[in-house]
Each structure stands twice: as C-alpha cells, then as structure tokens.
C-alpha cells in the first residue's frame, strides 16, 4: 500500500509560479511510475504530466508542455511539479498518482494510488 500526500498548492497571479510536492510512503517508491493529474470544477480529471521510475522519461499534456516540469527524488520519496507561466485555466485540484509499473503513463486507469489533492488557483 502506498500513501501519497500533496502540498504546495495555493493562490497565485497569472504569470506566476508554484511548485507542488508529493511525498510517498513505503520503501518501493523508486519502482513506481508517477503522474500528476488535475480536475477543474465540472470537468473530468485530466492528465498533466508523468515520469518514469528513474526520472529519465517524462511526458506532458499539450496544455502544459513548455510551462510545467515534472521531476522526482527517489532518495526523498518525492515527486515534484514545477509550474511556471501559470494561466487562469490552470486552476484546478491537482492530484499525485502512483502506478505499480516502472514506466510513465498518461492514462488515469493505469494508476493504482492517488493522493487527496491540492488546490491551485490562478487569478487573472
């Protein structure tokens, strides 16, 4: 069983930056592919970014490519999402997710564990 706890959300003006963190419990963090998803009010949860077990492979949604960066520190059991040039349409609850496979995935159903989410609000 893996527990995920996100932090770092908040209120920021358009053009600003935030860094989300997700700390995972357990000793097998380095064997999990990790992802970030988000859900805006009235919308389905959507893929944002994913990273493979060693940080060597990443993939982003078109809406955040070039603005967001996913990374991980296996020694700290932590995955990060650096968000720059934020836009009002980035406003959502952001969720960290872990899958019991080493490689990345952009599909929500491929993930086995989810955090509770952290709110990101971008004002115009």
């Amino acid at each position: 069983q893996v527990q995920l706890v996100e932090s770092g959300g908040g209120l920021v003006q358009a053009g600003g930056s935030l860094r989300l963190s997700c700390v995972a419990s357990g000793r097998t963090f380095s064997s999990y592919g990790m992802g970030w998803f988000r859900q805006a009010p009235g919308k389905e949860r959507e893929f944002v970014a994913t990273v493979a077990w060693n940080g060597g492979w990443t993939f982003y949604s078109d809406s955040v490519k070039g603005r967001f960066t996913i990374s991980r520190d296996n020694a700290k059991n932590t995955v990060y999402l650096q968000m720059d040039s934020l836009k009002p349409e980035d406003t959502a609850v952001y969720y960290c997710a872990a899958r019991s496979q080493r490689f990345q995935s952009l599909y929500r159903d491929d993930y086995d564990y989810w955090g509770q989410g952290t709110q990101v609000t971008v004002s115009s």
Side-chain angles (χ1 to χ4, degrees), residues 49-87:
T50 182
V51 62
W53 64 281
N54 63 353
W57 291 273
T58 58
F59 189 77
Y60 299 90
S61 69
D62 287 343
S63 61
V64 307
K65 194 177 298 181
R67 300 187 298 120
F68 290 11
T69 303
I70 188 171
S71 62
R72 65 190 295 163
D73 185 339
N74 288 342
K76 295 182 178 180
N77 279 18
T78 303
V79 62
Y80 304 98
L81 185 69
Q82 176 66 42
M83 305 186 295
D84 299 319
S85 302
L86 282 160
K87 305 175 181 179

Side-chain angles (χ1 to χ4, degrees), residues 90-106:
D90 294 318
T91 295
V93 176
Y94 282 70
Y95 297 90
C96 171
R99 61 188 304 252
S100 303
Q101 300 288 336
R102 287 177 175 260
F103 293 98
Q104 70 276 23
S105 173
L106 51 80

